[in-house]
Amino acid sequence: MTTLTREEIVRGLAENRESPNGAVRNAHAEALAGAAETSGDRALFREALDNLINAYLYSSESSRMLVPFARLLQEYDKDPGAFSHWDAHSLFWQFKWVATAISDSPGIPLESATGWLDEMERRYRIAGYSERPVREAELWLADAIGEDERAERAFRRWLAAERDDMSDCRACELNGQGQYAVLHGDDAEALELWKPVLEGDLTCAEEPHRLLATSLLPLLRLGRADEARSHHLRGYRMARGNESLLPSVGKHIEFCALTGNEPRGLEILAEHAAHVAPLANLDDRLAFHGGILVLLRRLRELGHGRTPAVPYEGSPRTVDELYEVLYAGCLDIARQFDARNGTTRVSDRFLAQVGREPLLAELPLGVRSAALPQTASAPVPTPPGPGPALTAAAFTELVKRARRARDLGHPGTDALWAEVAVRLDALPEADPLVRADLADQQALAAGRRGAEEAPELLSAVRDDYRALGVAERAALAELRLAGVAAQSGAAPTEVRALLRVALRSAEALDAAEPLRARRIALVELSAIRMESYLRSVETPDSDGHHDHHGELAAELTDFVAAHEGTLADLVAEAEEMLGRVALTQGTPERAVPLLAASAARAALAGRPWQAVDPLVLRAGVLMSLERPEEAEAAARSALKHAAEVTDAETQGVVRLTLADILLQRGDAAAESAEYALAAAHWFDQAGLTADGGAHARLLLARAYAGDGRSAEAAEVLQSALADLLEHGDQQAVSVREFLGDLLRRLNEPRPAAEQYLLAAEVTKGWEDPRPQAGLAHSAADTLSDAGLAVEAAAAYERALELHRLTGEVPVAEVRILRSLAWLGLREEVTATTVSAARKRMEEAAEVLEAALAADPAAPELRSELAQTWHQLAQVLDRHVNTNEQSHEAADEDEENDKDDGDQGLVDAGAEPPARLSPAEVNGLRLEEIELWDRASRVYAELGPDHLRDRFQCLNNAAWTEQERGDAAAGTTRVTALIDEARALPEDDVPDWLLPSAERLLAQLNDRE
């Protein structure tokens, strides 16, 4: 085994503190602690023990902190004086973690757990700390062992005890207080307590992460499903992949299982497959696996026991197999707690959790989840059984309802005939006409789906109706035969022949037949529609000499004129077709009234569902004509009329249309999100997840972003990203840029930069370089934010090159040059790096001066020039200050080296940069002042919008004068501004200006 030097251990500890939480970090921390102990350096050993305790805490092995803590406590008892104030505070703070870990470790006897609690109380009292943390630890131990009266006393003493610097943060305390309320059945009280944390007013390293998960079931139980959805999307994003938050991940999985989102639960489980193992922390294991078991039980109930789950201990497991192994393991842990505690409380709570029934049958989450796989063990949906036999009168009434729905074209027709079919099988004898009607419905369904047997089925239906003397239904079957022929691509001559047969059959109906006129008109309208198609087949538009749309419009207009006062639903259909023709002809203004008339006529005819399509189309046309108020009204009307529509795709389209209009309105993002969420759900139901569902999720993400809900927006967008990328390069670029913007808002610069770079890659072959330039610029900014200076510089250089290709975006070019200037100073501030930064700033100024030569009054260009001077002054100021600080530090080191003898030779090779002479410093200071004055004058000319920039320049110049020893010059500047402000009308002076200027003047005077 290689012995580490002290320097290697110190460096290793620094690296370990920055490492991701988990087993790898823990193992490294253990090795460092061992090496530190071997070194004999007690201070280093204490530091290594402290690091090991912290590593364990934020992992799934938190129970293992007991041993290093006990060692560290021994070190303290041996020599308390060796612990600094901060070291001692840290040790006592860790006592709270240990108290929790002991309570959560069933292998530690109850007497030992109580003894540790007593020891904590004794040490806190001697050290002068409040008993508040002690009482909190006592509460949870008493609750676990079933001593409810003691728990209540501890709870009250916890709240009554004074808060001091040993108390948990308010966010963590509120978490515990709310959980205690939940245990007593008061979800509302818990949520009220948690409110400051859930709303972001109180935060810490693990809050609101944990509370967002803990609040899920209380919210559902109180009927606040929208908040629960939001907490799931936000909270899971925070908890994902974090070892110390595995219990929270388990709660998110359980939430999915209890809201009809089992596929989402499976996806979360798969993301954490590596942690579905015998965790060292048994309490965390019980919590994490308990949530998983709720999901697995639901999947088994749904018939998915044989569906693959995730591996366990290296072996693939089905849902059934994983359930059995996790259940046995959790039950064993619960019984270990019971044996130690002398109560069944832990196992009772575990069993109650696993047996929970769903709280909602279905809660759309907005995120895309794959459907559960079809398996042999999954129950196959079957039509409802016959149930209690209907009386003859009841069956007759059912048939009447089905026929009325059929004649109206009601969306519920298929469902009614499906029930007739089931009931018909239970009757010993049935009316032949009912059987013919049922066969007609089945033939119609076959025709809709393009089944090969449709013509044969329709011919049989026609013959049955003729045999039964129902000529009007036979005539309708003839017309449907023509429609099926056209749909299957039959020759125009064949389709026209079938239409002639259908027309003759309609015209041959008895004059007394009430439906005769309707059947004839229906053939006419169908012929108009099909004839337009047939003409396009025979003389395609590419021939350039046939006005198919004009002929179709003329025929439809004649049809409307002939039947306007009688057959309202058919006229409405013709008007909708006329509206669509008008759009095809490029006359949207003409389409608007036609579509409105179609919808109104359908509604008056008692067929509101028929109004949905023209209203949705009208809403889209109105938006294109920039008439958003009318568009919104049309979309809302469509939603109202869609109440009885059973087609899932139509329901999705209606909601997506309204959501889009509301989002574009600019002040209705929250309402837009509601409709986009519902649209995504309907598209999923229609099997269009990758198409309409993807667009609905994109709109939902934009609505969430517009409502300030960036985390939810990112979660939704990332779930649909793969689908959205399949819809063309333009959308791929737009979506990746949007996701990058969201991740940037969430302070996730590295993944944000990745999205910008991927989007830029798509645009490489585009003729216009501006999109790639903008994306490269965004990537550079985020790479810089992530601390990746080399990568950021490369991206800035690429963006600069692309912007210069366009020659149209001087402001973007200038901002890149300034960013490059500052980036060059990130690692070190020396004469060389400052010179390079100065060149970048001067280059930026030259670009702006050239642009201003063409447009001298451009306010944006003038503002950017002032900002460039301002920042150049800041660069020079950084140079002076850094140089002085480095030499002050060098002087101190030199003094220390004299005191320490030869030890100073260790760093003998580290030469500080050449010290600036007083003349050089003064010259730089004067240049700074001149630059700030120059910028300030431009800001003054640009007016009130730049008053803060002007004040900042004045502030910087005044302090720089002070540092030069010319305090009077600085106070003169500020006094002049104050006088100027007081001379202005009161309403023209911002509230902040005079107080800020007077405070600055006082500070300058105090320094004189």
Side-chain angles (χ1 to χ4, degrees):
M1 176 178 171
T2 304
T3 301
L4 298 178
T5 66
R6 185 184 190 284
E7 289 71 22
E8 288 171 334
I9 297 171
V10 170
R11 187 165 55 251
L13 289 172
E15 292 171 355
N16 192 254
R17 293 186 194 99
E18 300 299 321
S19 299
N21 299 324
V24 174
R25 180 190 177 193
N26 293 351
H28 187 207
E30 290 164 1
L32 291 169
E37 183 176 21
T38 301
S39 74
D41 186 327
R42 307 314 297 171
L44 187 61
F45 180 47
R46 292 192 297 271
E47 184 181 353
L49 287 173
D50 179 81
N51 177 71
L52 180 57
I53 293 167
N54 280 275
Y56 282 146
L57 174 69
Y58 293 106
S59 74
S60 60
E61 300 179 310
S62 56
S63 59
R64 298 180 64 181
M65 73 174 71
L66 302 180
V67 172
F69 178 78
R71 296 290 303 279
L72 191 58
L73 197 60
Q74 289 174 1
E75 292 290 316
Y76 179 80
D77 290 338
K78 288 177 184 176
D79 185 7
F83 284 67
S84 68
H85 172 76
W86 170 249
D87 292 338
H89 183 279
S90 176
L91 177 69
F92 279 89
W93 187 273
Q94 290 167 349
F95 226 128
K96 299 184 297 179
W97 304 342
V98 170
T100 301
I102 290 170
S103 178
D104 293 344
S105 301
I108 296 177
L110 191 57
E111 296 77 11
S112 297
T114 303
W116 270 98
L117 191 62
D118 292 341
E119 180 69 6
M120 178 183 178
E121 181 175 13
R122 182 184 71 83
R123 287 180 180 267
Y124 270 44
R125 184 171 60 251
I126 294 171
Y129 291 122
S130 168
E131 69 169 346
R132 192 175 179 95
V134 180
R135 300 285 75 86
E136 182 181 4
E138 181 186 8
L139 161 66
W140 296 118
L141 179 61
D143 174 73
I145 62 180
E147 294 184 2
D148 292 338
E149 290 184 5
R150 180 185 176 189
E152 180 64 21
R153 286 196 305 273
F155 177 70
R156 297 195 180 283
R157 290 179 67 184
W158 171 25
L159 297 187
E162 182 182 355
R163 281 184 58 82
D164 63 7
D165 61 357
M166 197 52 62
S167 300
D168 281 343
C169 76
R170 288 289 296 142
C172 289
E173 283 202 335
L174 289 176
N175 183 332
Q177 292 165 22
Q179 287 196 56
Y180 189 67
V182 170
L183 289 175
H184 288 75
D186 198 341
D187 290 332
E189 171 67 13
L191 288 164
E192 188 62 29
L193 284 166
W194 293 335
K195 192 173 181 180
V197 184
L198 295 172
E199 292 184 353
D201 297 330
L202 296 173
T203 62
C204 71
E206 292 192 336
E207 296 296 357
H209 315 45
R210 295 183 302 166
L211 264 184
L212 286 167
T214 304
S215 66
L216 293 172
L217 298 193
L219 285 168
L220 290 175
R221 288 192 291 261
L222 291 174
R224 294 159 62 175
D226 288 343
E227 291 173 75
R229 177 195 301 112
S230 174
H231 288 194
H232 168 64
L233 294 178
R234 290 170 54 208
Y236 178 60
R237 186 173 188 84
M238 291 178 168
R240 179 190 283 127
N242 192 327
E243 270 200 11
S244 68
L245 294 176
L246 287 176
S248 296
V249 173
K251 290 173 183 176
H252 285 285
I253 292 174
E254 179 178 6
F255 165 80
C256 293
L258 300 180
T259 56
N261 288 288
E262 293 84 4
R264 166 79 168 169
L266 266 181
E267 289 173 357
I268 295 175
L269 176 60
E271 287 182 352
H272 294 84
H275 296 107
V276 184
L279 304 177
N281 185 319
L282 297 185
D283 189 66
D284 280 5
R285 180 178 169 190
L286 191 61
F288 179 43
H289 289 182
I292 295 172
L293 282 166
V294 178
L295 171 68
L296 297 176
R297 181 183 63 81
R298 283 290 301 144
L299 290 169
R300 296 175 84 191
E301 291 173 354
L302 294 172
H304 288 275
R306 297 181 184 176
T307 296
V310 297
Y312 185 82
E313 294 188 313
S315 301
R317 308 280 178 157
T318 64
V319 166
D320 280 337
E321 292 167 344
L322 187 60
Y323 179 87
E324 295 299 336
V325 70
L326 294 187
Y327 184 85
C330 286
L331 194 58
D332 177 64
I333 294 170
R335 286 172 176 164
Q336 289 181 49
F337 275 107
D338 291 348
R340 184 194 75 168
N341 298 339
T343 174
T344 61
R345 172 156 291 182
V346 174
S347 58
D348 289 344
R349 286 177 177 171
F350 165 70
L351 293 172
Q353 177 189 18
V354 176
R356 281 180 184 143
E357 292 301 319
L359 294 168
L360 286 175
E362 191 172 56
L363 176 65
L365 298 178
V367 291
R368 188 205 200 284
S369 293
L372 289 172
Q374 292 296 320
T375 64
S377 60
V380 179
T382 57
L390 292 180
T391 63
F395 180 73
T396 300
E397 180 57 31
L398 173 62
V399 171
K400 283 182 180 178
R401 286 193 292 122
R403 285 172 175 161
R404 281 198 300 270
R406 176 194 65 189
D407 293 342
L408 279 172
H410 192 282
T413 300
D414 289 344
L416 285 168
W417 282 110
E419 187 177 353
V420 169
V422 172
R423 302 300 180 183
L424 190 63
D425 290 340
L427 297 175
E429 294 182 7
D431 182 349
L433 182 56
V434 174
R435 292 196 180 278
D437 285 341
L438 189 56
D440 184 27
Q441 194 68 21
Q442 292 166 344
L444 177 60
R448 286 183 192 139
R449 64 176 183 269
E452 290 184 8
E453 66 272 18
E456 182 181 347
L457 292 173
L458 285 167
S459 296
V461 166
R462 176 199 58 198
D463 295 343
D464 287 343
Y465 277 134
R466 282 177 178 169
L468 293 168
V470 188
E472 59 91 8
R473 298 299 303 175
L476 186 58
E478 294 280 18
L479 178 58
R480 286 175 177 162
L481 279 167
V484 167
Q487 182 180 342
S488 64
T493 53
E494 180 185 347
V495 176
R496 291 190 179 106
L498 289 169
L499 282 170
R500 287 194 293 271
V501 171
L503 181 59
R504 284 198 298 271
S505 294
E507 291 174 337
L509 293 173
D510 192 291
E513 168 58 57
L515 292 174
R516 181 176 184 275
R518 180 177 184 81
R519 291 289 175 259
I520 293 171
L522 185 57
V523 174
E524 290 174 357
L525 184 58
S526 299
I528 290 171
R529 181 188 296 108
M530 282 187 260
E531 187 59 41
S532 175
Y533 160 71
L534 297 175
R535 285 195 294 262
S536 68
V537 171
E538 293 174 326
T539 55
D541 286 342
S542 58
D543 290 353
H545 64 272
H546 207 99
D547 183 10
H548 301 303
H549 297 136
E551 289 183 47
L552 176 58
E555 292 165 352
L556 289 169
T557 301
D558 290 343
F559 181 88
V560 170
H563 301 286
E564 190 167 7
T566 54
L567 303 171
D569 61 308
L570 295 182
V571 174
E573 188 177 340
E575 286 173 324
E576 180 185 347
M577 292 171 63
L578 270 171
R580 293 180 183 276
V581 170
L583 291 175
T584 305
Q585 292 176 318
T587 55
E589 296 85 354
R590 190 158 55 88
V592 170
L594 287 167
L595 294 169
S598 171
R601 203 181 300 273
L604 288 172
R607 301 178 181 223
W609 53 87
Q610 189 179 330
V612 172
D613 283 350
L615 283 169
V616 168
L617 184 56
R618 183 170 183 267
V621 175
L622 287 166
M623 284 301 290
S624 72
L625 296 173
E626 299 183 359
R627 293 158 63 180
E629 294 83 3
E630 295 173 77
E632 182 180 335
R636 290 191 185 279
S637 182
L639 182 63
K640 177 182 175 182
H641 289 319
E644 296 177 80
V645 172
T646 58
D647 180 67
E649 181 179 2
T650 300
Q651 292 285 8
V653 168
V654 171
R655 285 161 176 80
L656 185 59
T657 301
L658 181 54
D660 191 16
I661 291 169
L662 289 170
L663 187 60
Q664 292 185 58
R665 201 175 83 182
D667 62 350
E671 188 181 5
S672 173
E674 292 177 18
Y675 290 117
L677 176 69
H681 174 68
W682 280 109
F683 283 124
D684 289 347
Q685 296 296 306
L688 297 170
T689 297
D691 299 305
H695 289 295
R697 288 184 172 88
L698 175 57
L699 190 60
L700 176 59
R702 294 196 184 282
Y704 278 155
D707 198 31
R709 298 155 69 177
S710 298
E712 293 164 74
E715 197 70 11
V716 168
L717 187 60
Q718 285 178 310
S719 77
L721 185 60
D723 293 329
L724 291 166
L725 295 178
E726 297 298 318
H727 292 268
D729 286 353
Q730 288 283 355
Q731 176 152 292
V733 170
S734 173
V735 168
R736 286 201 184 278
E737 183 176 17
F738 177 33
L739 181 55
D741 293 344
L742 289 172
L743 294 171
R744 196 172 179 183
R745 286 185 216 170
L746 293 170
N747 196 28
E748 299 178 31
R750 288 193 183 211
E754 180 185 7
Q755 293 302 321
Y756 292 134
L757 291 170
L758 288 169
E761 189 68 25
V762 176
T763 66
K764 275 187 175 179
W766 292 6
E767 185 175 343
D768 184 356
R770 286 174 296 182
Q772 189 184 353
L775 290 163
H777 193 166
S778 296
D781 287 341
T782 46
L783 288 166
S784 178
D785 293 342
L788 301 173
V790 174
E791 294 86 347
Y796 278 130
E797 294 288 3
R798 178 59 177 154
L800 186 62
E801 176 187 354
L802 291 164
H803 278 306
R804 284 174 170 167
L805 281 176
T806 70
E808 298 175 0
V809 197
V811 170
E813 187 178 340
V814 162
R815 290 177 179 174
I816 291 171
L817 288 165
R818 293 201 302 247
S819 295
L820 282 166
W822 287 111
L823 202 61
L825 299 174
R826 180 170 293 181
E827 294 298 322
E828 57 179 356
V829 180
T830 65
T832 301
T833 59
V834 168
S835 175
R838 179 195 282 271
K839 287 180 181 177
R840 292 289 191 181
M841 291 291 184
E842 290 172 347
E843 187 179 355
E846 290 171 5
V847 170
L848 289 165
E849 287 162 355
L852 281 165
D855 187 5
E860 185 180 21
L861 296 176
R862 297 179 69 208
S863 169
E864 289 294 331
L865 182 57
Q867 184 62 223
T868 303
W869 291 332
H870 188 165
Q871 291 192 31
L872 176 54
Q874 290 174 310
V875 167
L876 301 180
D877 191 62
R878 172 84 65 86
H879 183 29
V880 172
N881 290 334
T882 302
N883 190 270
E884 291 179 352
Q885 290 166 7
S886 65
H887 285 285
E888 286 173 6
D891 291 343
E892 290 179 8
D893 289 344
E894 187 176 341
E895 289 298 320
N896 293 335
D897 290 347
K898 290 177 181 176
D899 295 338
D900 296 342
D902 292 341
Q903 290 182 10
L905 297 175
V906 173
D907 296 319
E911 290 288 339
R915 187 190 296 256
L916 292 170
S917 69
E920 288 173 318
V921 169
N922 189 56
L924 289 170
R925 292 295 194 201
L926 287 172
E927 186 177 359
E928 292 170 36
I929 293 167
E930 194 278 328
L931 287 165
W932 275 317
D933 281 345
R934 198 189 309 173
S936 181
R937 288 193 295 272
V938 174
Y939 286 138
E941 293 167 2
L942 289 170
D945 289 346
H946 294 272
L947 194 51
R948 283 194 182 275
D949 293 318
R950 180 186 173 194
F951 181 79
Q952 188 60 54
C953 287
L954 182 148
N955 175 84
N956 295 348
W959 282 114
T960 305
E961 295 280 19
Q962 181 87 273
E963 289 163 355
R964 290 187 63 249
D966 190 358
T971 56
T972 299
R973 293 171 187 277
V974 182
T975 302
L977 179 65
I978 291 172
D979 292 342
E980 179 185 336
R982 286 174 176 165
L984 294 172
E986 187 175 340
D987 293 343
D988 292 350
V989 181
D991 294 341
W992 61 268
L993 179 58
L994 279 171
S996 298
E998 289 168 352
R999 185 166 53 251
L1000 173 58
L1001 184 61
Q1003 291 170 343
L1004 289 167
N1005 289 331
D1006 287 345
R1007 288 282 298 274
E1008 284 189 53

